[in-house]
Amino acid sequence: MSCYRLIDAEKPHHEVSRLCRVLGVARAGYYAWTSRPPSERTMVDAYLTEQIRQIHARSRATYGAPRVHAELRLGLDIHVSRKRVARLMRDHGLQGVRRRRQHGCTRRDPTATPALYLVERAFGRPAPISSGWPISPSSALVRAGCT
């Protein structure tokens, strides 16, 4: 919110000169702001917001910013960025419907018979590998001093 909008909102409760002093703006700047016409961007935003509201209503409030942007660009030939559409929708409380989460968990049938265990693996500790040597060849060479 700009300082001038805050001053305008709080004007019924406090003096304008005191609000300007607290916020550190010139009183003449506030009065110049009140007499200034709305900017071109503000007017374009108001027009875009109205178009967005119509598209959102036609979609039964299901379209989000990407689809509204596509409708503006392809359907109405209005070239505007997707982020601007998202900002305007967010500022005016418009949002699309989110997709539901897919529940893909498997539900086990308690009456089904389990499949046969065909692998028959034993997951115990394996037996040590016997190479015929009492110790490994590399450690025998190290003990003999051959490196």
Side-chain angles (χ1 to χ4, degrees):
M1 176 180 247
S2 74
C3 293
Y4 298 137
R5 282 196 212 141
L6 178 64
I7 292 170
D8 206 36
E10 292 297 322
K11 188 168 50 170
H13 306 293
H14 304 284
E15 296 175 356
V16 172
S17 59
R18 179 174 292 162
L19 290 168
C20 289
R21 191 174 346 107
V22 168
L23 294 173
V25 295
R27 202 175 78 208
Y30 166 72
Y31 287 114
W33 176 80
T34 57
S35 63
R36 195 176 302 142
S39 67
E40 183 179 344
R41 178 180 170 165
T42 305
M43 294 182 344
V44 171
D45 278 353
Y47 170 74
L48 283 173
T49 301
E50 184 56 38
Q51 296 299 318
I52 289 170
R53 282 186 192 276
Q54 289 176 4
I55 293 170
H56 196 255
R58 274 197 313 255
S59 73
R60 298 187 317 252
T62 58
Y63 281 8
R67 284 186 177 178
V68 170
H69 173 256
E71 186 71 28
L72 283 170
R73 177 162 273 192
L74 300 175
L76 301 177
D77 200 33
I78 298 174
H79 295 280
V80 63
S81 73
R82 182 186 51 81
K83 290 189 176 188
R84 188 174 186 183
V85 172
R87 176 182 56 84
L88 292 172
M89 288 181 70
R90 184 175 54 248
D91 290 347
H92 295 282
L94 302 173
Q95 64 182 21
V97 176
R98 294 191 180 122
R99 289 185 183 209
R100 292 191 183 107
R101 216 174 122 219
Q102 297 293 328
H103 296 287
C105 57
T106 304
R107 304 200 196 294
R108 188 173 183 161
D109 184 10
T111 60
T113 57
L116 297 175
Y117 184 64
L118 301 176
V119 178
E120 297 178 8
R121 290 180 60 186
F123 289 102
R125 185 172 171 196
I129 300 173
S130 176
S131 63
W133 290 74
I135 55 175
S136 68
S138 60
S139 60
L141 292 175
V142 170
R143 285 189 187 166
C146 303
T147 54

